[in-house]
Amino acid sequence: MRFPLHITTDTIWHQARQALRGNRRYPYVLMLEPLYACNLACIGCATERHTGKVADRLSLEQCLKAVEDSGAPGVSICGGEPTIYPELPQLVAGIIARKRHIYLCTNALLLDQKVYGVIPPHKRLTINVHLDGMRKTHDRVCASEGVFDKAVEMIREGKRLGYHVMTNTTVFKDTEIGEVKALCELTRSLGVDGMLVAPGYHYESVEQNIFLTRDEIHAKFKKILGFSKHYRLTSTPMFLEFAAGLRDLKCSPWSTVTYTPRGWKGPCYLIGQKYTHSWEEFWTGTDWKYWESRQDDRCQNCAMHSGFEASGVREARQSPKEMVRLAAWNLLG
Ligand code: SF4
Ligand code: SF4
């Protein structure tokens, strides 16, 4: 199975409960950014995400309140680099106690010091390692030598210790798709449990011309779609077809809500037009209909999984044939 059974059943129950309540929009994943400090400064990362101070982090109580307020069954702990969040063991335990599934998104540099031997493996914990290419490319993207080798070593160690380990790859303008395929081969040989591949988003704070236009996304993802069946990619076929330009989707920015040291980030993971510490104000005050339509200039070259995975699943629910396809993709992956 592509996703463990408890994640699949939790997600189905969550959707059924929301449907019974008559809710059309609801979060699937909380992107929890407990701090904006990092031990790297990657070239494609929004500047504000890695230039903050540990002292300005969210408290443990604020993080857990955000988990409860959002109601999302999945919590992606990112940042910044979450392994330098001092209260990480308590945060992981608190989220697991609330029966949510955690994706710990990390550059892997501190996994051996802060996670392995400190936070035990658990079926509700997935380690999600950032890996943007093979050695030369990944180290260039991370602006630091040796990051690739350490990440591979930590993936191998995580699997040996019994953790559920995935990888997360961003495709940039100069990414060679042959290299993405080589990365798929490598992660398969390491025994990773899943691999997320998504196009990068052009953050306003990043000046370099490294991001893809919509046409470039389509061209690269057509090739990725071609070999996707042979690997454990976690993107749904609907999302990959959208990224390849073979189907159109509205955005679902409400499906992935983001809580940061500045508060709830609206409208989406990528655009911080307004921040508020009140869940109510964020949820009821964001013009979801406007952002779903993708008419804003900042949405033109966006094909981020955080906005469109849920749209693909929603569309699939309208067609029994697509539902069978989605179920087969998960069961046979
Ligand atoms: S490791 Fe993550 S948070 Fe840190 S700079 Fe790189 S992309 Fe940004
Ligand atoms: S299209 Fe992208 S940038 Fe626009 S609202 Fe959706 S996720 Fe955000």
Side-chain angles (χ1 to χ4, degrees), residues 89-116:
Q90 296 90 324
L91 179 58
V92 168
I95 298 173
I96 289 175
R98 285 161 178 78
K99 296 197 168 18
R100 314 297 168 90
H101 190 85
I102 300 166
Y103 298 89
L104 183 65
C105 301
T106 174
N107 58 34
L109 294 180
L110 295 174
L111 278 175
D112 46 357
Q113 294 173 45
K114 304 287 187 178
V115 176
Y116 301 160

Side-chain angles (χ1 to χ4, degrees), residues 38 40-42 45 49-50 79-81 107 130:
C38 188
L40 286 177
C42 302
C45 182
R49 282 212 164 96
H50 57 82
E81 171 53 43
N107 58 34
H130 164 205

Side-chain angles (χ1 to χ4, degrees), residues 65-79:
K65 183 168 186 318
V67 171
E68 287 175 3
D69 282 346
S70 76
V75 180
S76 198
I77 311 179
C78 30

